[in-house]
């Protein structure tokens, strides 16, 4: 016996059926597994059957061998989970041999498998109303994780939670969309304040009419506004202003632009990436400054707005989308004498699809402004156009400020704290989870008396409508496909707190003013592309407004192993934790051949022989010679002048492949719908 077993450290016993499982432990190693049955004798309970377990079965041994093991053991332990009668019978049997056993709390899963695994309050994990050891809890969680196809990063998060809360059931419930806030909470982005001496509005040297208007609205400027003024915003200096959402960046552009306008230093252009945002800014400016100046709007290629009002290039204040103003430049429209240009959401430069167009627009507009000013005497202050670039999220602000030749004004304040939560739900469960979160938030009121309202971001217009219909409280879809009047109705209802939620695509990420306290991510994709860290931060920054809410809340609804297209790398659960933990991507302009051809063609259309110098001023490095060669090959330019075909291509923002597909269809006399289909199919093939 002694040769087979070796040293007997701990003899561990656990009740099983009418008998006992026996394990001999040498430290953490099990050296023998056996089964013991007791029988009644005149002297009391005694070993009746003893069998040693092997891989091939159970080998009967003499019951006296168990007694020998017990006598040689350093200690004898009996599981507390063993039934009371069984435990007392075993203790009585040991007493007959002048031996004793101490009761210990053990993991039932381990004990049932013949393993000795004592647990304490500090190490035990709650599971099914009892406590088990961490190893068994991890194994159970791994089985659940495998069933849901959870990625490694998300699995690590679940294991961290298990270790933290020591409750297996609560952690497993996360995988079925349970909303335990203590577990879903990933972190909190604290409210931060930066010591800035506020600038008194009365101390500003503004045009008298404008000074009285601003003084009626404010006593002091907000911190980022004060910093901008101290760094020359009202002295004509170019600035890149980087500060969190709702810190007051827009007013910086208004202060500089409206004052310069009234001082006779040229009109103000306020440029934004999206039509919805342009409409909102236009109405705000009409309300605030319509009695001081003429305000107009330019979106897209059309000179007529949806309500029939014409764009007025001679207006004092022009609100436009990037493409709207760029189109005006490409077709040679006279925009008048521009004193101030405000580029809102300048981080759009990072966007793979639209960044090159903003880069080109800035360069072309600078060329226009400089040449326009050369045509007349400079104003008495000897200043040119002032450029103000605004953004909440830039990963490399110093580099970008240098490339834009602007002074950096960076203010790292978050007006209210933002809690960030992660919960798991498959595609069908997401609507149920979103509904619960929307109701919970809308039923709350902040200390300022406002209900909690929610913005839900998703990845398609169809999903906007589908999800808004599934919410019990009043909600509405909001995206670029809605007509102007319907979007305005949604904006009004949200502002009046008649809607608990809006469900949107990217339209709201760029700053349309919906004072929401909560942001939900129904999807972490924009179309069929995963969000970038910058886009993610831009969207979550919509949660919580200092004048309305005490805090912001963000929930990321994650589908384990989910994606929206076969071409997408990784899964939604992997992406979630990359976004939550990721560093902001630097703005880094990337020009492929198609982008370079489009921007150089636009530069030629605007500047002619000055296109080379114009292109050299762009933020991104444009392969000019290669692009010019392609333009000549395509027949888009003749020398450094656009051909009629080139002008048609650039004024309609066409990339070469689409232009040639369209041209081929026209020459063949194809039905226009067929031409459009061919363009779409060509895109799919690419």
């Amino acid at each position: 016996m002694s040769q087979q077993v070796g040293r007997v450290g701990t003899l561990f016993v656990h009740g099983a059926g009418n008998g006992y499982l026996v394990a001999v432990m040498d430290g953490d190693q099990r050296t023998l597994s056996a089964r013991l049955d007791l029988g009644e004798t005149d002297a009391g309970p005694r070993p009746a059957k003893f069998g040693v377990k092997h891989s091939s079965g159970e080998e009967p041994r003499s019951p006296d061998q168990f007694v020998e093991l017990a006598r040689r053991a350093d200690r004898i332990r009996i599981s507390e989970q063993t039934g009371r009668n069984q435990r007392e019978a075993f203790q009585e049997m040991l007493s007959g041999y002048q031996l004793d056993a101490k009761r210990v709390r053990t993991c039932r899963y381990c004990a049932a498998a013949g393993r000795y695994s004592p647990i304490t309050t500090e190490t035990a994990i709650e599971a099914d109303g009892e406590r088990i050891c961490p190893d068994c809890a991890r194994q159970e969680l791994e089985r659940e994780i495998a069933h849901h196809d959870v990625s490694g990063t998300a699995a690590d998060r679940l294991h961290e939670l298990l270790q933290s809360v020591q409750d297996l059931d609560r952690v497993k419930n996360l995988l079925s969309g349970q909303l335990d806030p203590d577990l879903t909470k990933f972190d909190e982005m604290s409210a931060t304040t930066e010591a800035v001496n506020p600038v008194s509005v009365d101390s500003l040297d503004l045009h008298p009419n404008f000074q009285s208007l601003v003084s009626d609205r404010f006593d002091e400027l907000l911190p980022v506004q004060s910093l901008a003024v101290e760094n020359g915003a009202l002295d004509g200096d170019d600035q890149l202003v980087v500060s969190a959402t709702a810190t007051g960046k827009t007013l910086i552009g208004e202060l500089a632009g409206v004052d310069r306008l009234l001082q006779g230093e040229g009109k103000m252009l306020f440029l934004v990436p999206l039509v919805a945002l342009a409409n909102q800014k236009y109405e705000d400016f009409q309300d605030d400054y319509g009695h001081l100046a003429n305000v107009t709007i330019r979106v897209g290629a059309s000179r007529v707005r949806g309500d029939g009002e014409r764009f007025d290039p001679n207006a004092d204040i022009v609100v436009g989308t990037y493409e709207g103003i760029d189109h005006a430049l490409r077709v040679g429209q006279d925009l008048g004498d521009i004193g101030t240009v405000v580029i809102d959401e300048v981080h759009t430069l990072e966007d793979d699809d639209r960044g090159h167009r903003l880069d080109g627009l800035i360069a072309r507009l600078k060329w226009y402004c400089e040449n326009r000013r050369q045509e007349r005497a400079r104003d008495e202050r000897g200043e040119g156009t002032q450029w103000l670039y605004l953004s909440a999220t830039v990963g490399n602000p110093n580099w970008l400020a240098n490339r834009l030749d602007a002074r950096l004004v960076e203010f790292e304040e978050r007006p209210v704290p933002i809690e960030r939560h992660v919960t798991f739900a498959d595609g069908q469960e997401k609507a149920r989870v979103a509904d619960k979160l929307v109701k919970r938030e809308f039923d709350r009121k902040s200390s300022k008396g406002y209900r909690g309202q929610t913005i839900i971001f998703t990845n398609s217009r169809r999903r906007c409508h589908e999800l808004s219909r599934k919410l019990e409280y009043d909600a509405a879809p909001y995206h670029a496909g809605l007509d102007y009047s319907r979007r305005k109705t949604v904006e009004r209802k949200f502002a009046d707190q008649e809607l608990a939620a809006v469900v949107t695509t990217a339209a709201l990420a760029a700053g349309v003013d919906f004072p929401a306290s909560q942001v939900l991510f129904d999807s972490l994709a924009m179309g069929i592309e995963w969000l970038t860290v910058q886009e993610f931060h831009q969207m979550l920054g919509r949660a919580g407004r200092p004048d309305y809410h005490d805090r912001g809340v963000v929930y990321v609804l994650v589908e384990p192993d989910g994606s929206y297209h076969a071409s997408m790398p990784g899964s939604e659960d992997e992406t979630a934790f990359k976004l939550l933990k990721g560093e902001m991507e630097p703005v880094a302009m990337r020009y492929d051949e198609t982008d370079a051809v489009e921007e150089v063609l636009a530069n030629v259309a605007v500047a002619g022989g000055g296109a080379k110098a114009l292109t050299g001023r762009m933020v991104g490095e444009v392969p000019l010679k290669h692009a010019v060669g392609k333009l000549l090959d395509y027949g888009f330019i003749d020398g450094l002048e656009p051909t009629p075909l080139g002008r048609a291509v650039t004024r309609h923002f066409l990339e070469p492949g689409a232009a040639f597909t369209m041209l081929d269809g026209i020459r063949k006399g194809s039905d226009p719908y067929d031409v459009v289909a061919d363009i779409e199919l060509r895109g799919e093939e690419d």
Side-chain angles (χ1 to χ4, degrees):
M1 183 74 182
S2 61
Q3 290 179 343
Q4 293 174 335
V5 177
R7 177 174 176 271
V8 180
T10 300
L11 182 69
F12 173 63
V13 179
H14 174 72
N18 295 320
Y20 305 85
L21 294 176
V22 178
V24 175
M25 309 295 298
D26 182 9
D28 293 334
Q29 299 297 314
R30 183 175 57 189
T31 58
L32 179 142
S33 294
R35 178 172 175 95
L36 173 69
D37 290 333
L38 299 183
E40 279 296 329
T41 69
D42 293 341
R46 291 293 185 270
K49 289 183 180 180
F50 185 57
V52 176
K53 294 184 177 182
H54 298 289
S55 57
S56 58
E58 188 173 295
E59 178 187 348
R61 297 285 184 90
S62 168
D64 292 339
Q65 290 190 358
F66 171 79
V67 178
E68 180 185 349
L69 281 171
R71 291 187 186 280
R72 291 172 51 207
D74 294 340
R75 64 191 68 83
I76 302 173
R77 299 289 185 260
I78 183 167
S79 169
E80 195 174 70
Q81 286 88 339
T82 300
R84 178 179 177 182
N85 292 337
Q86 275 188 301
R87 202 166 57 236
E88 289 177 349
F90 187 78
Q91 292 275 23
E92 186 179 348
M93 179 271 294
L94 288 179
S95 295
Y97 299 106
Q98 289 80 49
L99 298 171
D100 190 23
K102 185 176 180 180
R103 286 192 299 168
V104 292
R105 179 180 291 275
T106 60
C107 171
R108 179 177 63 82
Y109 294 179
C110 288
R115 296 190 301 271
Y116 175 53
S117 180
I119 55 177
T120 65
T121 302
E122 288 73 26
T123 63
I125 306 291
E126 293 287 338
D128 295 326
E130 58 182 311
R131 293 183 175 184
I132 63 176
C133 71
D135 286 341
C136 288
R138 281 191 291 269
Q139 291 172 15
E140 288 294 304
L141 181 57
E142 282 293 342
R143 280 190 279 272
E144 194 74 15
I145 286 171
H147 176 70
H148 286 85
D149 292 323
V150 175
S151 73
T153 309
D156 291 343
R157 170 65 178 169
L158 292 170
H159 281 295
E160 290 173 6
L161 289 172
L162 179 65
Q163 185 177 352
S164 174
V165 302
Q166 296 181 281
D167 191 322
L168 177 62
D169 297 327
R170 286 177 68 192
V171 175
K172 286 166 62 176
N173 285 341
L174 284 179
L175 290 168
S176 59
Q178 295 295 314
L179 297 173
D180 185 336
D182 292 332
L183 295 190
T184 60
K185 186 175 179 179
F186 178 79
D187 63 11
E188 180 171 317
M189 302 170 71
S190 301
T192 57
T193 56
E194 186 177 328
V196 175
N197 292 325
V199 171
S200 168
V201 169
D202 290 340
S203 70
L204 302 177
D205 184 20
L206 301 175
H207 185 278
N209 293 342
F210 189 38
Q211 179 78 50
S212 61
L213 175 64
V214 177
S215 297
D216 288 343
R217 293 169 60 189
F218 313 106
D219 294 324
E220 295 178 336
L221 296 182
L222 295 174
V224 70
Q225 299 160 357
S226 299
L227 280 177
V229 168
E230 290 171 358
N231 283 276
L234 298 183
D235 299 321
D237 292 349
D238 296 348
Q239 293 183 349
L240 168 62
V241 182
V242 180
S243 184
T245 300
T247 51
K249 296 185 296 297
T250 299
L251 184 65
I252 297 169
E254 295 174 41
L255 288 174
V258 176
D259 183 55
R260 286 170 64 84
L261 166 68
L262 297 178
Q263 300 283 3
E265 296 170 16
K267 68 174 62 181
M268 176 173 77
L269 263 61
F270 195 100
L271 308 185
V272 297
L274 299 171
V275 173
L277 187 53
N279 284 326
Q280 190 172 74
K281 295 297 183 188
Y282 169 73
E283 293 189 354
D284 289 345
F285 289 172
Q286 279 276 42
D287 291 342
D288 293 339
Y289 310 123
H291 63 292
L292 295 177
N294 296 324
V295 184
T296 192
I297 185 170
R298 175 65 180 258
V299 295
S302 175
R303 299 187 183 190
V304 181
R305 294 180 51 212
D307 58 8
E309 182 180 331
R310 285 188 172 274
F311 164 64
D312 179 9
N314 297 315
D316 302 313
I317 299 175
V318 178
V319 179
T321 58
Y322 303 155
E323 285 80 4
I325 298 302
D326 200 6
H327 180 269
L329 293 173
R330 293 183 186 208
V331 300
Q333 187 166 23
D334 185 357
L335 295 176
D337 188 25
I338 301 171
T340 309
V341 178
V342 182
I343 306 286
D344 201 7
E345 314 294 343
V346 73
H347 56 267
T348 304
L349 284 166
E350 174 65 15
D351 188 282
D352 288 337
D353 295 326
R354 303 177 66 196
H356 65 93
R357 289 181 177 169
L358 176 57
D359 192 14
L361 165 64
I362 292 172
R364 288 186 283 276
L365 195 51
K366 284 184 175 180
W367 183 91
Y368 169 87
C369 291
E370 290 168 2
N371 281 272
R372 174 79 182 189
R373 292 251 166 176
Q374 288 175 4
E375 294 174 1
R376 67 172 184 83
R378 291 182 177 271
D379 59 61
E380 64 183 48
R381 292 166 68 177
E383 296 176 348
T385 303
Q386 181 181 11
W387 292 77
L388 296 169
Y389 309 92
L390 313 179
S391 179
T393 53
V394 175
N396 52 344
N398 285 292
W399 178 88
L400 183 58
N402 182 61
R403 292 294 295 174
L404 292 170
D405 196 21
R407 177 177 295 178
L408 176 63
V409 176
E410 191 173 14
F411 181 63
E412 298 184 3
E413 178 183 81
R414 184 169 301 283
V416 297
I418 296 181
E419 294 180 6
R420 304 197 301 176
H421 294 254
V422 181
T423 190
F424 298 89
D426 63 27
Q428 295 180 338
E429 280 290 298
K430 283 186 176 183
R432 181 189 64 80
V433 174
D435 183 55
K436 186 173 182 179
L437 289 168
V438 167
K439 288 193 289 187
R440 188 167 73 184
E441 190 69 10
F442 196 63
D443 288 341
R444 291 176 176 156
K445 275 193 176 181
S446 72
S447 63
K448 301 170 178 67
Y450 288 91
R451 284 183 175 276
Q453 292 170 280
T454 302
I455 298 171
I456 304 177
F457 287 111
T458 190
N459 73 321
S460 72
R461 296 178 183 181
R462 179 187 60 79
R463 178 66 173 167
C464 288
H465 292 269
E466 174 187 303
L467 189 52
S468 64
R469 287 194 298 266
K470 291 182 177 180
L471 300 179
E472 184 177 336
Y473 285 5
D474 287 341
Y478 187 94
H479 54 73
L482 301 179
D483 61 43
Y484 176 78
S485 62
R486 191 169 177 187
R487 286 200 302 269
K488 294 310 299 179
T489 297
V490 174
E491 292 170 13
R492 179 189 59 76
K493 285 187 172 182
F494 198 93
D496 293 341
Q497 299 222 304
E498 296 175 20
L499 294 176
V502 291
V503 189
T504 185
T505 54
L508 288 187
V512 176
D513 189 16
F514 279 72
S517 58
Q518 178 172 255
V519 166
L520 306 185
F521 287 88
D522 172 66
S523 164
L524 292 175
M526 194 178 292
I528 59 170
E529 299 286 341
W530 294 122
L531 298 176
T532 65
V533 174
Q534 184 184 73
E535 289 164 343
F536 179 65
H537 277 264
Q538 189 75 18
M539 290 174 169
L540 72 83
R542 311 309 303 168
R545 293 282 296 273
D547 296 333
Y548 295 79
H549 312 119
D550 306 308
R551 55 90 177 103
V553 182
V554 174
Y555 270 87
V556 182
L557 311 186
V558 175
E559 180 173 7
D561 201 37
S563 69
Y564 300 90
H565 194 270
S567 65
M568 300 175 75
S571 59
E572 190 163 62
D573 49 329
E574 289 177 312
T575 301
F577 291 96
K578 287 179 182 177
L579 295 176
L580 287 163
K581 297 178 180 180
E583 294 291 327
M584 200 84 69
E585 299 94 348
V587 171
M589 296 298 302
R590 294 174 291 274
Y591 277 89
D592 61 20
E593 181 179 288
T594 299
D595 298 342
V597 165
E598 179 182 336
E599 296 313 317
V600 174
L601 177 59
N603 291 347
V604 170
V606 171
K612 180 178 179 181
L614 192 162
T615 303
R617 296 180 59 178
M618 293 170 68
V619 172
E621 299 294 332
V622 183
L624 179 64
K625 288 184 179 180
H626 180 74
V628 169
K630 286 293 182 181
L631 289 170
L632 290 169
D633 290 344
Y634 294 154
F636 290 170
I637 61 173
D638 181 7
L640 280 177
E641 289 294 327
T643 63
L645 174 59
R647 289 195 182 279
V649 168
T650 195
R651 71 173 53 195
H652 293 291
F653 295 83
L654 296 176
E655 53 93 4
F660 287 123
T661 299
M662 188 180 299
L663 189 61
D664 185 57
I666 292 170
R667 287 170 175 165
K668 291 178 179 178
S670 301
D671 185 281
Y673 289 105
D674 291 335
V675 176
V676 172
D678 288 341
I679 291 174
E680 291 299 315
L681 289 173
R682 183 196 56 81
E684 288 295 319
E685 290 166 2
D686 289 346

